[in-house]
Amino acid sequence: MRTILFVLPGFAVMALAFWAYSENYETQESLAHVRDLQRRIGAERETLAILKAEWAYLNRPERLRALVDLNFERLALLPLQPFHFADVDQIPYPTPDLEDIVDVIPLKGELP
């Protein structure tokens, strides 16, 4: 009986040691995965910054004006004038179709 009382805690300590050992390796693996994700996020942010800079460079007004002048006959683009825009009240919005009220509920008593 006495040996069982000594052996069971020994097995419990060994089981907890194995569990702690495996948890340590899982934690190290998770940390390595997080570092890899952070490195990839940094690389994607750098790529995004480069793409934004290229977009700004390609959308320079003088470059776009030169492209329009170069392709004027083929594209038939015209400069925007104030009469190209309309006021809000000139837009024909559709009127909602409301159904007729058929069920009238009589009120009892007086309204305050």
Side-chain angles (χ1 to χ4, degrees):
M1 184 70 176
R2 190 180 245 185
T3 54
I4 292 176
L5 291 177
F6 288 126
V7 172
L8 285 178
F11 281 137
V13 167
M14 288 188 331
L16 287 174
F18 178 75
W19 173 79
Y21 184 76
S22 64
E23 286 296 316
N24 182 27
Y25 273 97
E26 286 182 26
T27 303
Q28 295 299 325
E29 183 180 331
S30 296
L31 290 174
H33 182 66
V34 167
R35 280 192 299 270
D36 181 52
L37 286 176
Q38 287 176 342
R39 181 190 53 78
R40 289 172 45 195
I41 288 171
E44 293 299 324
R45 283 185 178 163
E46 184 178 331
T47 303
L48 185 61
I50 291 170
L51 289 174
K52 284 182 179 180
E54 287 179 356
W55 182 257
Y57 179 75
L58 291 174
N59 282 326
R60 294 184 327 266
E62 60 274 2
R63 178 185 171 275
L64 294 177
R65 194 171 301 114
L67 286 174
V68 167
D69 292 341
L70 184 66
N71 297 307
F72 182 75
E73 293 83 19
R74 190 170 57 122
L75 296 177
L77 296 176
L78 298 174
L80 289 177
Q81 300 293 328
F83 61 86
H84 290 137
F85 300 99
D87 291 332
V88 175
D89 54 351
Q90 293 176 332
I91 299 173
Y93 290 109
T95 57
D97 294 331
L98 299 176
E99 297 180 15
D100 294 334
I101 299 174
V102 292
D103 295 330
V104 178
I105 301 174
L107 295 176
K108 294 181 180 177
E110 293 185 23
L111 294 176

